[in-house]
Amino acid sequence: MEWLRTVHDFQIVGFPIPLFPTPVALATLILFLWSVAPAVKGRVSMGFLVWLRVTWAAFLVPAVIGVILALGGLKVPSATNAGGGLSKYGYPVDPSRDLEHWMYAAFTLLTLYVIEVLVKGRMIEHRMGLKYLPLATLFLYGCAYMIGRVAVFPGSTPGT
C-alpha cells in the first residue's frame, strides 16, 4: 500500500516554476502547446496522437491507483489530519478538498475523451473540431493542475 501511495503522490521536483507540479500536469501542458499546430494546419500528426496516448497513461496510472487508495479508506493529504488540525504539508485540514480532487479527476477524464472525439472527427466536423483543440487542451491542463493543487493546499473552508 505504501508503494501505491508513493507512485500516486509522485511530484516533479527541481523545477523553479510551479507550472507543472505533477507528471500529468506536465503532459497536459505539452499537449496544450502542441495542440496549436493541428488547430492551424487542420490535421493531426502522428506525434500528437502518440503524446495524447502518453497523456492518457500519465493520467490513468495515478487515477487507478487513487481509486485503489480511496477504496482502502485514504483521502487527499489536504483533507487528512496529520496532527494538530494540520495536513502533512502544514496547512489547515480541509475535508472538502477530497471531493474536489475527485471532481477535477472526473473533468480530466471527460476532457481527454472530448479531445479524442475532436481528433477523430466524430460528432463534429473534423476541421472545425480541431479549431477547438487548444481550448480543450487548455481546460485539460487546468484540471490536471488543480488535481495536484487541491491535494496539497486547503480551500476556502478549512476545518469545516
Side-chain angles (χ1 to χ4, degrees), residues 9-28:
D9 293 346
F10 180 75
Q11 295 187 4
I12 299 173
V13 292
F15 290 105
I17 50 176
L19 286 175
F20 36 86
T22 64
V24 179
L26 177 60
T28 57

Side-chain angles (χ1 to χ4, degrees), residues 1 4-5 8-9 65-82 87-89 93-102 147-148 150-152 160:
M1 192 66 122
L4 290 176
R5 187 183 294 176
H8 183 76
D9 293 346
I65 292 173
V67 169
I68 293 168
L69 292 173
L71 291 174
L74 297 178
K75 297 188 181 300
V76 296
S78 62
T80 306
N81 190 350
S87 70
K88 79 175 191 178
Y89 297 108
V93 174
D94 188 355
S96 68
R97 292 306 241 186
D98 194 54
L99 288 176
E100 281 185 71
H101 190 72
W102 283 97
I147 287 172
V150 301
V152 175
T160 57

Side-chain angles (χ1 to χ4, degrees), residues 52-135:
L52 180 57
R53 299 309 178 265
V54 168
T55 305
W56 269 104
F59 170 71
L60 287 176
V61 168
V64 169
I65 292 173
V67 169
I68 293 168
L69 292 173
L71 291 174
L74 297 178
K75 297 188 181 300
V76 296
S78 62
T80 306
N81 190 350
L86 299 176
S87 70
K88 79 175 191 178
Y89 297 108
Y91 297 108
V93 174
D94 188 355
S96 68
R97 292 306 241 186
D98 194 54
L99 288 176
E100 281 185 71
H101 190 72
W102 283 97
M103 176 190 71
Y104 285 117
F107 281 157
T108 301
L109 181 64
L110 180 64
T111 307
L112 278 167
Y113 176 73
V114 167
I115 290 170
E116 288 286 343
V117 168
L118 293 175
V119 166
K120 299 286 189 210
R122 297 184 183 144
M123 292 196 280
I124 188 169
E125 195 268 319
H126 187 66
R127 291 175 81 60
M128 179 60 92
L130 292 180
K131 295 199 183 299
Y132 293 111
L133 199 55
L135 181 62

